[in-house]
Amino acid sequence: MHVGPETIDYDVLLAGVKGDIGFTSKDFVDAMNYSLKYLRKLMGADESYQPFIIPGGGTSAMESVTSLLKKGDKVLVVSNGVFGDRWTSIFSRYPVEVKTVKAKAGYYVKPEEIEDEIKKEGGKVKLVTLTHVETSTGIREPIEEVSKRIRDYTDLIVVDGVSSVGAEVVKAKDWNIDVYLTASQKAIATPPGAGLLVLSQNALKYLDDNVAGYYLNLKNWINVMQSMENGKASYFSTLPVHLVLMLKKAFELIEAEGIENRIKRHELVSSAIRKGLEGMGLEIVAKAPDAYSNTVTGVKVSKVNPNDVLSAITQEGIELAPGVHPDLAGKYFRIGHMGWVNLNDAISTISALERVMKKLGEPINYGEGVKAIQDFLS
C-alpha cells in the first residue's frame, strides 16, 4: 500500500521475462505500437494527440516539457505540495521566467485563484503547470474547472498526472489540456523506468526551437514514436525494452477491466480506507472531501512517531509510505491505494493499522475502523 512503485501483477512481470528482445525486434516494436495507441485512450486523448514513452519516470516526463519553451518564456507553476514544487525546481534550471502559486498543506489552489494569478500577468504566460493528484498529500486539483477558467489566458496547459492516470477520470481532449503526463510505476502498476505523456497538436507547434537539453528533448524522440506507431523500428536512444513489454500487458489488463470500471474500483477502495480511518478517529490530511483522491491518502497522527507506525505495520505484512511534505514533517504518513489494489487490501490495511496504533499508544477508537469499513462496504 505504498504510493509507488505499486504491487505488480505477476502476468505483467512475466511479460518482461524474455532474454533475447532487442529494440529493433518485432516483439518490441509491436509492444510499443500497442502501448502508444492505448496511452491515448488512457489519457482521454484522440488521434490528434502525439503519445510518447520515454526512459526515466515522472520527473523525466516533467522535464521533457521544457521542449515547449523558448528563452524568456513565462511559466506559472500551480503547486499543492512537494511535487508541484518540483516543477519550479525544474524550470529554474532553464532560461525562462518562473512564478509559483502555492497552497497550504492539505488544500489545493482554488481555480479562481489561478485565474486571478494568470490575469495579473496580462495574458503573457506561455505555460501553466497543474498537478492532478499531489502525491505528497493526496490532494486532488479540479483540473477540468481550472482549464475552463484559464484556457483563454495561456498558450499551454500541462498536467502532471503521475498519481492520477489509470485511477482518476482523465480527459485530455475534453478538458482541452495540451500535455498530460504520468509514470509507469503508479496507478498503471508496472515497474519504474518510463515517463508517459501525450501532446496536443497545439503543443507540438512549439517543439522546433526550445531550451531543452538533448536526452529529454521531445524533438529528438518524436520520430521514434511516430515510426513505432507505424510498425517500424527506430532509434534515438535505447528505450526500456522489457518494461515496455510489461507495459503492453498492463494496458491489456486495463482494457479487459475497462477504464471506467478501474476508476470505480479505485474510488471504492479509497473511500473504504477513508471510512476506516474516520472510524478510528484519525485525521486525514486533505481538508475537504472534494480534495480526496482515488490514489493517495495522507494520515495525521497526534502522539506517535509516524516512522514507528511504518516500521511496525511492515511487520504485519503491509508497507505504507512516509510523509514528505516539509510543513507536516513528523506528523503524518501516507497510504497508497492504486494499481491492482482491491477491497481486501483496504480491510487488511485498516485492521493492521488498528493493531499497530493500539500497540504504539496512539489514541484511536479501537475496532471501530474495521467496523466502519465493513459497514460502508455492506
Side-chain angles (χ1 to χ4, degrees), residues 121-166:
E121 300 298 322
K124 296 179 181 179
V125 174
K126 170 73 169 291
L127 184 148
V128 178
T129 68
L130 306 168
T131 306
H132 195 171
V133 174
E134 172 53 57
T135 315
S136 67
T137 56
I139 299 297
R140 180 173 61 193
E141 180 80 35
I143 299 297
E144 181 180 13
E145 183 181 350
V146 174
S147 180
K148 286 179 180 178
R149 284 178 173 270
I150 70 172
R151 183 67 272 183
D152 293 338
Y153 304 107
T154 185
D155 295 324
L156 296 164
I157 300 175
V158 177
V159 178
D160 166 4
V162 168
S163 285
S164 69
V165 174

Side-chain angles (χ1 to χ4, degrees), residues 162-192:
V162 168
S163 285
S164 69
V165 174
E168 300 275 3
V169 175
V170 172
K171 297 184 178 182
K173 174 67 175 179
D174 290 350
W175 297 347
N176 210 353
I177 305 300
D178 292 296
V179 181
Y180 233 110
L181 63 89
T182 192
S184 56
Q185 78 277 12
K186 298 286 190 174
I188 295 172
T190 57

Side-chain angles (χ1 to χ4, degrees), residues 23 120 124 136 165 208 228 312 319:
F23 62 81
K120 289 179 184 177
K124 296 179 181 179
S136 67
V165 174
D208 284 342
M228 292 288 189
E319 183 184 12

